[in-house]
Amino acid sequence: MTPTGGKANIKPAEPARMNSLFASVQVKHLQRGLRHAEAQMADMCQLLASYARQSAKLRDQADMLVARLFDFSDSEDAEIQVGLRRLAQDFALVQDYRHAQVQRLETQVVAPLKAYGGIIANTKASMKMFRADLRGELKELQKLENIRLNNLAARQTDAEVNSRKASSNAQHSLMKMEESITAFHHQKRKDFKRIFMDFITVEMIFHAKALEVYSHAFQHLLDTKTGMHNQEDPRRRERNVSKNMSKVRETFRLVEEEKRRSGKAKRPGSHHLG
């Protein structure tokens, strides 16, 4: 009661409760975005890990083919035997490059994606701290609402002070959380760009080297005598070989330009790919 006998003018808690509701909506929105990013990263990591495993399986199958070529060459005459052995050696060299490709995919592409599990876990921990602050704010607001309903004017001031403090903490935490989530998504986009640039670079280097070896293997087979008269026009054969080598040089040029743009130093374990 006031000194004049009227009821105390107690402020309703509705504005603070609306702020809490708005904060709750924001938190749910941030959580949905984080869950979506987590699912995206996990799916991409799984697919690229499978890609690397399939490349490793292809390498193993090719190694078996190399062994079969050597076995097959033993049953042929000297000229064919030389050609088949050269082919087997060239194909084995390609698998060395493929092995380096698999290792690079695992370390430069798959591993960084796996690391996002820890990054997302830390972000979730931050959101958990914010939810604790929000629950504290809601508790204080409920206390203020009870005081208003029971007209306990003597305790109203303390409750309002605590409510304002809890609301300020929650708003501060929400701001920090929004900054954290924004930074997370920004860094995720930068990392995606870097990871896929590494992925493309690894693929270009492997295919450029493989194309070079396959061109040599093609030339070796072309020069291998089979005991039959070679009817191919020598000029046409020269044009085909020249065309293949031009493709190889162009591919190398693109790879070197990409290396210069990215400014990357030669990584360990790259002695095969040069």
Side-chain angles (χ1 to χ4, degrees):
M1 300 290 289
T2 64
T4 59
K7 290 185 178 181
N9 183 20
I10 302 176
K11 297 179 181 179
E14 291 302 322
R17 287 167 58 180
M18 289 297 293
N19 289 336
S20 298
L21 179 60
F22 177 68
S24 298
V25 172
Q26 285 181 298
V27 170
K28 290 180 180 179
H29 174 71
L30 295 174
Q31 287 177 320
R32 282 195 300 270
L34 188 60
R35 285 195 298 268
H36 181 67
E38 183 178 24
Q40 279 186 325
M41 301 298 280
D43 184 55
M44 196 65 66
C45 182
Q46 183 179 7
L47 287 172
L48 288 171
S50 177
Y51 183 94
R53 288 194 299 270
Q54 293 297 324
S55 296
K57 289 180 180 179
L58 182 59
R59 173 203 60 201
D60 295 341
Q61 291 294 320
D63 286 340
M64 294 175 61
L65 178 58
V66 169
R68 295 298 182 272
L69 284 171
F70 277 116
D71 292 342
F72 181 59
S73 68
D74 292 337
S75 63
E76 294 296 325
D77 57 34
E79 192 69 33
I80 295 296
Q81 186 178 84
V82 171
L84 289 176
R85 286 183 174 274
R86 283 181 175 177
L87 174 60
Q89 290 167 355
D90 287 339
F91 204 50
L93 181 57
V94 171
Q95 305 325 306
D96 288 341
Y97 296 141
R98 197 185 301 278
H99 178 68
Q101 174 205 26
V102 171
Q103 289 183 319
R104 288 184 168 187
L105 287 173
E106 291 173 346
T107 57
Q108 299 176 30
V109 178
V110 178
L113 287 172
K114 285 183 177 179
Y116 260 85
I119 296 173
I120 293 175
N122 292 336
T123 307
K124 284 183 174 180
S126 298
M127 295 190 71
K128 186 176 181 180
M129 292 176 59
F130 167 71
R131 289 198 302 270
D133 287 341
L134 183 59
R135 283 194 296 269
E137 180 199 20
L138 293 175
K139 183 178 179 180
E140 292 298 328
L141 288 175
Q142 185 61 49
K143 185 187 296 185
L144 177 59
E145 179 69 6
N146 292 337
I147 291 173
R148 186 182 69 82
L149 293 175
N150 294 326
N151 197 23
L152 300 178
R155 297 173 56 189
Q156 179 186 5
T157 302
D158 290 340
E160 286 183 339
V161 170
N162 291 335
S163 178
R164 284 195 295 269
K165 182 178 179 181
S167 179
S168 176
N169 289 339
Q171 290 174 4
H172 178 73
S173 297
L174 179 59
M175 181 182 67
K176 289 294 184 182
M177 181 53 54
E178 289 176 336
E179 291 175 353
S180 176
I181 293 295
T182 299
F184 166 78
H185 286 295
H186 178 68
Q187 187 62 43
K188 180 194 71 174
R189 296 183 189 104
K190 289 179 62 177
D191 289 342
F192 252 55
K193 178 180 178 180
R194 176 182 55 80
I195 288 170
F196 277 95
M197 285 180 67
D198 284 347
F199 173 75
I200 295 300
T201 301
V202 169
E203 292 294 297
M204 285 195 302
I205 292 174
F206 165 70
H207 288 290
K209 285 293 188 180
L211 181 58
E212 180 184 18
V213 176
Y214 282 138
S215 296
H216 293 161
F218 179 82
Q219 182 63 54
H220 290 156
L221 287 176
L222 199 62
D223 294 337
T224 299
K225 296 179 180 180
T226 60
M228 298 177 64
H229 182 62
N230 190 349
Q231 297 294 331
E232 184 180 13
D233 183 356
R235 288 175 298 180
R236 180 181 178 185
R237 182 177 65 177
E238 184 178 349
R239 286 195 301 270
N240 289 337
V241 172
S242 177
K243 184 184 297 183
N244 288 334
M245 295 310 298
S246 295
K247 291 180 180 179
V248 172
R249 286 191 292 269
E250 177 64 16
T251 303
F252 276 132
R253 185 185 66 79
L254 293 174
V255 171
E256 291 302 322
E257 285 183 358
E258 178 59 31
K259 285 182 179 179
R260 285 194 295 271
R261 282 197 297 268
S262 60
K264 294 180 180 177
K266 185 176 179 182
R267 291 180 170 83
S270 62
H271 57 280
H272 284 297
L273 298 188

